[in-house]
Amino acid sequence: MPESAGPKFLDKKYSSLRTSSEVQSAAKHNYLHIGENLAQNNPSARIQNFLDRLNSLINPPSLEDYPDFDRKKRNLDILKRVLYEKFIIKPDNPAFSINPEIRDIMVAKRDNAGKPIDTEGKLYKLSAIDKQILQMYERGQGGDLVATDLSDLPRQFAEATITDQKNSLDSWIDYLSSSYAPYPDWLKYWTFRSILQMSTYDKDKKAFGNRSYDTTKTFPELNPEALSYVLDAIEKKYIVKQTDLSNLDINDRQRFEQLLAGENFAKLYAWAIEKIIHGSRELLNKTEGVWIKFPRNSDPMTYRPHIEMDSKAIEAEPLVPSLQKASRIGYSTGWCTAGESTARQQLKGGDFYVYYSLDRAGNPTIPRVAIRMEGDKIGEVRGVTENQNLDPYIYSVVEKKLQEFPDGKAYQKRTENMKRLTEIYNKSKADKDLTREEVRFLYELDGPIEGFGQGNDPRVYELRKTRDLNVDAAIILEYKPEQIALNLESINAFTKVYIHTGSIGSLEAGIFQKLQLYNVNEIYLSFPGRKIKIEKLKIDPIKTPAQLLRELELKGISIGEEAKAMMLNTDFTTLQSPIDLDLIRLRANDLPSYFSPPYVAIGDIYQAATDLGLDLCPPEIGPYLALHYGDELQNDETVNIAMKPILGLIFDIRRREDKLKLSSYRGTPYDRRFFFNEFIFCIPRS
């Protein structure tokens, strides 16, 4: 394929891309780092440079001094936060506002004995949450909704919607940035930019909906198999290679050729989704079949493996045609290997094994499991259920096959995880109580539930979403449900644990004072992952700056030159009498007024903390915390002291290579911090 074909394609699709801020920024970076000035009249070169820059950010080299630091994950986290801010619906969106007349609508429905009434905007203007309430009412869910308190529904609906949208967007980001998507960068960019404007698939219209500022639906479902059909066809078009359409009837062939000429991703993807038939799975409980090996560098379109079944020699179908044929009869795999270009790329890396179970005629035609090799090591194991996880019947087949590979034992834990998750899933669906060990497993307290699909097994999220968090947390933490508070109003003298169930940045004003008042010190900003606590610091006796410096040196704590200058400055005033302080450690994006990731001004951080009911710290908190709490910092961790700047600086405490240091960083209201940076604040005493 000509090197400039991809950038030219993008330049044609997005006329403003060549002059966009991201392309200009990439060109500036290129000039500053390698001295190459890309001409404005060469848009293809500038767009390709932007794609290269984007690739280097998503796939950065490891740091020599910190080989265990995952730069890719860090960069993807930043990217996700930026995209969340721009494309995820906000909690204050009108879609989450209940129409004041919603009860009148429900009463009218009740009084009309279920007969239709006008709720399409002529008499009533309905938001997304209004429509959901009416659907619940019509289905008889939630008891008597006419008499039910609806005040908390907007918050619940907003949180569930935001979580679902983030998860659906994450699936695209994680897949397109992984080695499982071996497509050129220009195709990935076109794909991602397209899905940002798409909502879910409408089966009746056979089309994807468009997104607007108040869209509550998720982004389109990721189907790697359908995606591979689309991207494979577009790539072949630009290398002037014919896409094989021989398996389509004349009408489908003409329709696909029209769509290909239009190069509209949403329409092409919808067509591919429709052609991948998700039919009956009734034969999945039958696991008799055969493993077929497609050797490295074999042709995925023509190579026919010879196998033996029941003492008979059989010539099997080539890899790609076998998967496409299975899809047409209702056994879609969801594997990107069904696309010719992807299959060729994967076979360059190593052998490819597929387990085909028997159809009704006794022929091995139903693909169930794929094992892709990278050299002599397993690259991935994929099944045919959601997110390419293994179906629950096939574990023993996979377990036995993995024993043939040198690194097969590394996947043994995954097989055990999937077996156990299936048991828990079936038990929950049967309304049976789970044991404490099973609940701990579900919440991944003893380690992540690693499976064989892309990302987490969707059953984990499904089960957690439908279970009672209050009850589960009580089981895990060994408290009574009434000792666990899930919101500000429910905190009382009996509370032992507080779990924040809202989204990031939705903490309520006064929350920490109330936790302080009732001495609640087991605090989760998300359960079970983000546990924090109120630190109690007693400053007694009062010490001079010189005494603090001496103690830091005696304890072997390094002191930065600027930090030392801050302590010797006249603005470094110490308290006049002993005091007990309550401190809390928060990330910048935990605060309720946090905007514009990935960076935020310190002045905005402090204002958000004040709105939450927190205070800045006295300046000597920096040295005192280094002396008394520095051991709690992990390697490569840094925590900032929220304080008035001295010499334009604030203290921070950091640990590098097991060495603790009292340091400093720019701290004026206009200086910025990364949204994951942590700060220590004071909680005012009641």
Side-chain angles (χ1 to χ4, degrees):
M1 175 177 173
E3 189 174 335
S4 61
K8 284 181 178 177
F9 169 83
L10 294 179
D11 192 40
K12 181 178 71 171
K13 296 294 293 183
Y14 311 110
S15 58
S16 62
L17 179 60
R18 61 169 72 181
T19 57
S20 65
S21 59
E22 54 264 34
V23 169
Q24 303 280 30
S25 176
K28 182 179 179 180
H29 180 275
N30 190 66
Y31 176 73
L32 292 174
H33 284 76
I34 65 175
E36 182 183 8
N37 192 5
L38 297 168
Q40 291 280 358
N41 62 359
N42 190 352
S44 290
R46 293 173 74 85
I47 291 173
Q48 184 59 55
N49 176 68
F50 159 65
L51 294 173
D52 292 341
R53 173 66 177 151
L54 192 59
N55 185 289
S56 69
L57 291 172
I58 293 174
N59 299 290
S62 60
L63 297 172
E64 290 185 10
D65 295 337
Y66 303 100
D68 295 330
F69 178 62
D70 193 340
R71 292 183 72 196
K72 178 170 183 172
K73 183 179 183 305
R74 190 274 310 272
N75 289 357
L76 285 177
D77 283 343
I78 296 174
L79 175 63
K80 287 177 181 180
R81 296 295 177 190
V82 173
L83 293 170
Y84 292 166
E85 184 64 29
K86 191 170 182 179
F87 295 103
I88 299 296
I89 194 169
K90 304 298 182 289
D92 58 356
N93 193 285
F96 304 127
S97 299
I98 297 179
N99 190 317
E101 297 176 298
I102 191 66
R103 293 188 188 279
D104 294 337
I105 299 173
M106 290 191 288
V107 169
K109 279 185 173 288
R110 182 185 63 192
D111 293 346
N112 278 277
K115 295 177 181 178
I117 64 170
D118 188 349
T119 57
E120 297 304 317
K122 295 177 182 177
L123 298 179
Y124 299 102
K125 187 177 178 68
L126 300 180
S127 67
I129 191 171
D130 291 333
K131 293 175 182 177
Q132 187 180 57
I133 290 171
L134 287 174
Q135 288 172 2
M136 292 169 62
Y137 180 69
E138 289 169 347
R139 289 194 298 259
Q141 295 175 333
D144 184 3
L145 287 176
V146 176
T148 299
D149 180 9
L150 304 176
S151 60
D152 198 40
L153 274 181
R155 180 190 65 80
Q156 296 175 16
F157 185 43
E159 288 175 0
T161 299
I162 289 169
T163 298
D164 289 345
Q165 286 192 0
K166 286 180 178 179
N167 288 341
S168 66
L169 187 59
D170 284 355
S171 69
W172 285 95
I173 298 171
D174 293 340
Y175 178 71
L176 291 173
S177 63
S178 74
S179 60
Y180 307 132
Y183 306 110
D185 292 335
W186 62 274
L187 280 177
K188 292 182 181 181
Y189 180 85
W190 176 57
T191 299
F192 193 70
R193 185 155 171 172
S194 298
I195 66 102
L196 288 174
Q197 306 303 320
M198 296 159 59
S199 68
T200 52
Y201 184 65
D202 188 319
K203 293 181 180 179
D204 295 327
K205 296 178 180 178
K206 297 183 179 180
F208 286 96
N210 296 321
R211 302 195 76 79
S212 62
Y213 83 103
D214 61 350
T215 298
T216 56
K217 293 181 179 178
T218 64
F219 292 88
E221 178 187 355
L222 170 64
N223 186 307
E225 183 177 356
L227 181 64
S228 72
Y229 289 158
V230 174
L231 301 191
D232 189 49
I234 290 291
E235 187 174 17
K236 283 180 178 177
K237 178 179 177 179
Y238 280 84
I239 59 175
V240 198
K241 183 178 179 181
Q242 190 70 32
T243 298
D244 183 9
L245 303 178
S246 60
N247 61 332
L248 302 177
D249 62 37
I250 185 65
N251 292 329
D252 279 343
R253 196 177 309 164
Q254 290 175 350
R255 176 59 178 158
F256 183 76
E257 288 171 346
Q258 290 173 354
L259 293 174
L260 192 58
E263 296 177 351
N264 181 299
F265 177 86
K267 292 181 179 179
L268 281 164
Y269 191 52
W271 183 91
I273 289 285
E274 195 62 31
K275 291 305 156 190
I276 295 174
I277 305 170
H278 294 277
S280 170
R281 294 299 205 196
E282 61 180 302
L283 292 181
L284 291 188
N285 63 348
K286 301 184 184 301
T287 59
E288 183 184 358
V290 62
W291 284 98
I292 296 180
K293 175 184 176 181
F294 299 91
R296 186 175 190 171
N297 292 320
S298 59
D299 191 312
M301 303 299 293
T302 61
Y303 175 76
R304 291 177 173 272
H306 289 80
I307 60 173
E308 190 173 299
M309 275 191 64
D310 298 329
S311 303
K312 294 180 181 179
I314 299 175
E315 187 179 61
E317 289 269 1
L319 176 58
V320 170
S322 74
L323 300 181
Q324 293 180 352
K325 182 178 179 180
S327 177
R328 293 196 301 275
I329 63 172
Y331 290 96
S332 167
T333 61
W335 303 339
C336 58
T337 313
E340 180 186 344
S341 297
T342 304
R344 289 189 186 280
Q345 186 71 25
Q346 291 177 337
L347 283 167
K348 286 180 182 178
D351 299 335
F352 200 98
Y353 297 84
V354 179
Y355 186 79
Y356 296 87
S357 59
L358 305 184
D359 58 23
R360 286 189 174 86
N363 298 316
T365 62
I366 303 174
R368 303 287 292 276
V369 185
I371 299 178
R372 180 179 62 82
M373 303 298 290
E374 291 179 356
D376 60 353
K377 294 185 178 179
I378 296 173
E380 59 178 328
V381 181
R382 291 288 185 256
V384 296
T385 61
E386 189 175 352
N387 290 350
Q388 300 180 17
N389 282 285
L390 300 182
D391 68 77
Y393 307 104
I394 206 72
Y395 297 138
S396 59
V397 172
V398 176
E399 197 170 21
K400 183 178 179 181
K401 184 66 176 177
L402 289 173
Q403 295 173 8
E404 298 178 12
F405 301 99
D407 56 342
K409 287 185 178 179
Y411 288 81
Q412 184 65 35
K413 178 66 173 174
R414 300 188 186 198
T415 307
E416 293 172 0
N417 281 344
M418 292 300 97
K419 284 182 178 178
R420 191 174 186 191
L421 180 59
T422 299
E423 291 171 0
I424 292 172
Y425 185 82
N426 292 337
K427 197 172 176 181
S428 294
K429 290 300 180 182
D431 289 327
K432 294 181 180 178
D433 291 337
L434 301 184
T435 65
R436 182 169 182 267
E437 290 69 27
E438 288 171 332
V439 177
R440 285 183 61 88
F441 175 83
L442 183 60
Y443 283 87
E444 302 179 275
L445 286 164
D446 301 316
I449 303 174
E450 290 185 294
F452 295 97
Q454 295 167 352
N456 293 332
D457 190 300
R459 293 175 296 177
V460 176
Y461 175 66
E462 179 189 340
L463 288 175
R464 286 195 199 175
K465 188 177 180 180
T466 56
R467 291 182 62 80
D468 187 328
L469 176 59
N470 191 277
V471 172
D472 281 350
I475 292 171
I476 291 168
L477 301 174
E478 299 184 295
Y479 287 111
K480 296 177 181 178
E482 57 268 26
Q483 292 177 302
I484 297 174
L486 302 182
N487 53 55
L488 179 68
E489 292 73 24
S490 60
I491 300 170
N492 55 44
F494 300 103
T495 303
K496 299 294 183 184
V497 180
Y498 170 72
I499 298 175
H500 178 63
T501 57
S503 57
I504 292 175
S506 64
L507 288 168
E508 298 176 85
I511 181 66
F512 292 110
Q513 283 92 334
K514 195 164 186 182
L515 293 171
Q516 175 196 63
L517 175 65
Y518 290 111
N519 199 30
V520 179
N521 207 23
E522 201 164 340
I523 305 165
Y524 292 87
L525 294 188
S526 65
F527 186 81
R530 285 281 315 281
K531 185 178 181 181
I532 63 173
K533 63 179 180 179
I534 297 173
E535 299 282 6
K536 298 188 178 298
L537 178 65
K538 187 178 185 67
I539 297 183
D540 185 20
I542 300 298
K543 295 172 184 176
T544 65
Q547 289 173 321
L548 287 170
L549 284 168
R550 179 63 177 158
E551 280 197 37
L552 289 166
E553 291 170 355
L554 287 173
K555 202 168 180 180
I557 299 172
S558 175
I559 310 168
E561 289 301 318
E562 290 179 332
K564 187 178 294 185
M566 290 170 65
M567 293 180 66
L568 297 175
N569 189 275
T570 54
D571 287 340
F572 184 83
T573 55
T574 56
L575 296 167
Q576 300 302 307
S577 57
I579 190 172
D580 292 309
L581 294 172
D582 290 336
L583 309 173
I584 196 71
R585 176 177 167 181
L586 298 172
R587 294 174 184 165
N589 67 333
D590 290 328
L591 301 168
S593 299
Y594 171 70
F595 299 103
S596 303
Y599 296 101
V600 60
I602 286 180
D604 291 338
I605 294 173
Y606 288 179
Q607 183 58 56
T610 300
D611 294 344
L612 195 59
L614 302 175
D615 285 344
L616 299 184
C617 298
E620 66 260 55
I621 290 297
Y624 271 103
L625 277 178
L627 287 167
H628 297 286
Y629 289 101
D631 290 342
E632 294 191 9
L633 277 185
Q634 303 296 313
N635 259 333
D636 300 322
E637 275 193 330
T638 299
V639 63
N640 301 275
I641 307 302
M643 56 178 281
K644 290 182 179 179
I646 298 174
L647 301 174
L649 305 167
I650 61 175
F651 288 118
D652 71 50
I653 306 166
R654 58 185 70 178
R655 183 176 291 280
R656 301 291 185 272
E657 297 180 353
D658 286 327
K659 294 180 181 178
L660 195 65
K661 182 177 182 179
L662 177 65
S663 189
S664 60
Y665 202 82
R666 297 187 305 275
T668 71
Y670 305 102
D671 288 311
R672 299 191 303 164
R673 283 293 193 280
F674 182 55
F675 70 103
F676 264 161
N677 285 161
E678 294 187 311
F679 287 80
I680 298 284
F681 295 95
C682 277
I683 305 173
R685 291 264 172 133
S686 303

